[in-house]
Amino acid sequence: MSKGAVLALAGLIAALAVVAGGCGGGGDSTTALTKAQFIKKVDALCEEREKERTDKVAAIASTLKPGERLSNARQTKMVESIIFPSYAKMIENVESLEPPEGDQAKINELIKAMEKAQKKVEADPRQAVFSVVMFEEANGLAKKYGLVHCGV
């Protein structure tokens, strides 16, 4: 795999990781967040995870010699060790934030779709190397809600 192809794969894996890698910590505020505040917090956390994932994938890609390819097994290992944990963390963090008043059902639906994608990837991590179809429902719900950085 050329270095360009590896970087393209890194971008795909980073994108997978956004939904797969997740956001970072929430707060214990008793004041309900507005939708704009909720989106800003969740997107900021997801953006942090995206950078972490991208940096890890780029570090792996930088070890490749010109023309060297990552094996399918090594790509699958990246999904298992980088993407999957990051996505699980994102789900935890979305759950930890109290949704805006009236939006609980929408956020619950998003979380269920994310968990469904997570289970599919966990059952067969190889599929996330070649496709992002398992994330389409969660991506669509995130985008529809207004989240920019929490999709694959």
Side-chain angles (χ1 to χ4, degrees):
M1 184 178 286
S2 70
K3 205 159 206 169
V6 170
L7 291 177
L9 174 63
L12 171 63
I13 290 175
L16 283 172
V18 170
V19 172
C23 303
D28 287 338
S29 176
T30 55
T31 305
L33 297 172
T34 66
K35 183 174 180 176
Q37 291 169 327
F38 182 83
I39 289 170
K40 185 176 180 179
K41 282 187 174 217
V42 171
D43 267 346
L45 296 170
C46 289
E47 194 171 23
E48 288 175 22
R49 294 290 175 232
E50 181 180 21
K51 182 174 177 354
E52 288 174 9
R53 283 186 309 274
T54 301
D55 290 349
K56 288 178 182 179
V57 171
I60 292 169
S62 72
T63 66
L64 297 175
K65 297 174 186 163
E68 184 179 9
R69 305 180 79 172
L70 283 177
S71 67
N72 288 346
R74 193 161 176 203
Q75 291 177 46
T76 300
K77 181 77 171 166
M78 286 174 53
V79 169
E80 294 171 330
S81 65
I82 298 172
I83 308 300
F84 189 76
S86 180
Y87 194 65
K89 184 67 174 171
M90 182 173 68
I91 294 169
E92 289 175 19
N93 288 306
V94 172
E95 289 175 325
S96 74
L97 293 173
E98 185 177 336
E101 190 174 323
D103 286 357
Q104 185 68 48
K106 291 176 186 175
I107 299 306
N108 285 343
E109 183 180 14
L110 171 60
I111 290 168
K112 284 181 185 178
M114 292 169 74
E115 289 171 339
K116 181 177 160 184
Q118 179 186 29
K119 286 177 185 173
K120 286 181 180 181
V121 173
E122 184 177 33
D124 184 6
R126 292 172 300 159
Q127 68 181 317
V129 172
F130 303 106
S131 174
V132 294
V133 71
M134 72 287 296
F135 298 106
E136 286 179 353
E137 180 183 5
N139 289 348
L141 291 170
K143 184 176 180 178
K144 182 177 178 181
Y145 190 75
L147 296 168
V148 175
H149 295 286
C150 294
V152 173

